[in-house]
Structure formats: C-alpha cells, structure tokens
Amino acid sequence: DLIDVIPAGGVVNEIGRFYKPWFYKHVERILCSGQEKVVEFIPVRDYYHRHTRSIFWELEAIIPIGNHPLFRHTLGWLVPPKVSFLKLTQTEGMQRTYEDLHAAQDMLLPMKSLDEHLECFDRLLGIYPLWLCPHKHYKTENRSFLKDPPEADAKDASGEYQMYVDIGAYGFPRAVREKKPFQMMPTMRALEKYVLDRDGFQMLYADTFQTKDEFERMFNHEHYFAMRKKYHAEEAFGLIYDKMALRL
C-alpha cells in the first residue's frame, strides 16, 4: 500500500542505500526466518529500484561476494556496474560462455496456467529466483504487435482484457550450475514452442531461437507489416525478427 505518513513505530527501510543488503536476499532472509508477517516502509524511489543495485539477481554471478557486509559497506557504492562497461571489457571467451550457457528471457503467458508454466521453466531451466509480473493483456482489435488475448474474460475502463503473467528467467540454468551437459538452442526452442502453443509471447529484447515462420505466428505481423509499408520503413529499418535472431 502507498502511504503519505509513516505511522508511529513504523520501520523505514531505505533499501536503495549502497550498504543495504540486496533486496532479493533481504526477502529471502525474511522468508527463511519463519516470521509470519514483516511490515516495512520503503521509500517509493527505493522500491522502484529495488533490483537495480544487484541487476535483479545477476550481479551475484559477476561479483560473488557482492552482498557480503564488508563489500557492501566499503565498495557497495561502486555497483551496479554499467552493462555497457561490462560488455566493453568482456573477452571473446566470456561472451561465448554467456551466449551458450547463460539465459536471459521473459515470456508472457496466460495467468490461469501459472503452475504449469512454472513447472516448464523449472524442468527446462531451473533458474531461481524467477521474475513474476502480472499483466493485463487488452484486446486491441489486432492493432498491436501482440495478438489479442484468446479469452478476454475481464473488463475495466480501458477495455476487455485477460490476465497474463511475465515470467523472467535470468541466470545460469541448473544443469550449468551442476556442471552437467546443457545445450542452449534445443532448450530455448523447447521453451519457445511451449510459449507459442499457449498463446504466449517472447519479450523482444532477448535472442530468439524461433524460425521466422514461428516468430510471425507468435506475433501480429499483419498490422506490423501494414505500418512498415504506410510509413515507408521497409527500406529504412530491419525486421524485428532479424534483430533478435542473431545466430540463426
């Protein structure tokens, strides 16, 4: 809940301070403590940036001691490092390792089958924590790159919608962590097929391992191609698919 005044005795936790524990580790500690209820008051800006310092939970793989109290209090002000700087200093071997063994994917799927989705992510990737973010997927009469939801069973002032959930997996899969054989392409193709078969969508910042035909079945390309033609973008800009399918 958002409040304007902190009640008497309320505990303020400015989680954005450089010396504070990473937010997901803070939550993990509370969950493992056995406490039934913990009430904290977090400044709005700190809450919005709760995963910024730890780059969600990716920084632990880069700086394993990053959440140690000594590191936080002495060098915590240096993080997070700029992603552009990390890429600039990456060796070719490190880049190949990340491409072949590290996953960074978000999939948007119908909320009603969340348990099934989580089982699929666990079976194929085994990455934790997972990012779960509810999303109202509105009908747009196919004027969006996202196809209309198949079961728009709810309505508000903005229109009809179906509840979806964004599931984000960022990190090294369980097989990699356990030093077992892992192949990125067949694993991701299995996940993408699962998403495609359930009227889901792959977020467009990530690499895709789908074929062009599969990608065009996942998204509403009819409107996309019409807009490219209308605004003379066909020769000026490449296709979204070509930007994502870098290794196919």
Side-chain angles (χ1 to χ4, degrees), residues 58 102-106 127 169-171 184 188 205-207:
E58 292 273 53
H102 177 271
Q105 294 282 344
D106 282 83
I127 293 174
Y170 327 120
M184 180 65 77
M188 289 312 306
Y205 73 85
D207 288 345

Side-chain angles (χ1 to χ4, degrees), residues 174-200:
R174 180 189 295 119
V176 175
R177 300 194 308 272
E178 295 177 353
K179 296 180 170 50
K180 296 179 180 179
F182 175 80
Q183 292 182 299
M184 180 65 77
M185 182 173 288
T187 299
M188 289 312 306
R189 282 196 53 75
L191 180 59
E192 289 166 342
K193 184 180 187 305
Y194 176 89
V195 173
L196 179 61
D197 290 346
R198 288 159 180 77
D199 301 302

Side-chain angles (χ1 to χ4, degrees), residues 46-219:
D46 287 25
Y47 182 75
Y48 284 159
H49 287 277
R50 62 194 182 279
H51 295 302
T52 297
R53 288 189 301 119
S54 57
I55 315 180
F56 285 79
W57 27 93
E58 292 273 53
L59 193 58
E60 186 173 11
I62 302 171
I63 309 176
I65 62 170
N67 193 51
H68 190 280
L70 181 60
F71 181 93
R72 292 200 316 265
H73 282 80
T74 57
L75 297 173
W77 55 275
L78 289 172
V79 300
K82 288 186 177 294
V83 175
S84 56
F85 173 76
L86 294 176
K87 290 183 177 180
L88 181 67
T89 56
Q90 241 181 15
T91 64
E92 185 176 340
M94 289 175 60
Q95 182 179 354
R96 178 56 60 184
T97 297
Y98 264 80
E99 289 178 352
D100 292 342
L101 303 177
H102 177 271
Q105 294 282 344
D106 282 83
M107 302 294 184
L108 197 61
L109 287 153
M111 175 74 84
K112 66 177 183 178
S113 302
L114 178 58
D115 55 346
E116 179 188 350
H117 306 331
L118 294 179
E119 288 174 3
C120 176
F121 270 76
D122 180 75
R123 182 177 70 256
L124 293 175
L125 295 174
I127 293 174
Y128 293 96
L130 286 173
W131 170 256
L132 299 179
C133 184
H135 165 76
K136 289 183 178 179
H137 182 24
Y138 285 96
K139 288 181 65 175
T140 65
E141 304 302 332
N142 288 318
R143 295 193 304 272
S144 166
F145 196 55
L146 299 186
K147 291 183 176 180
D148 280 358
E151 301 176 16
D153 53 2
K155 188 175 182 178
D156 61 15
S158 297
E160 298 177 74
Y161 66 89
Q162 180 179 347
M163 285 306 302
Y164 270 53
V165 59
D166 171 25
I167 305 177
Y170 327 120
F172 292 97
R174 180 189 295 119
V176 175
R177 300 194 308 272
E178 295 177 353
K179 296 180 170 50
K180 296 179 180 179
F182 175 80
Q183 292 182 299
M184 180 65 77
M185 182 173 288
T187 299
M188 289 312 306
R189 282 196 53 75
L191 180 59
E192 289 166 342
K193 184 180 187 305
Y194 176 89
V195 173
L196 179 61
D197 290 346
R198 288 159 180 77
D199 301 302
F201 308 97
Q202 182 177 31
M203 298 297 98
L204 301 177
Y205 73 85
D207 288 345
T208 185
F209 295 81
Q210 297 183 94
T211 65
K212 191 173 183 179
D213 176 67
E214 290 166 342
F215 188 77
E216 290 184 1
R217 283 194 287 122
M218 178 175 282
F219 294 97

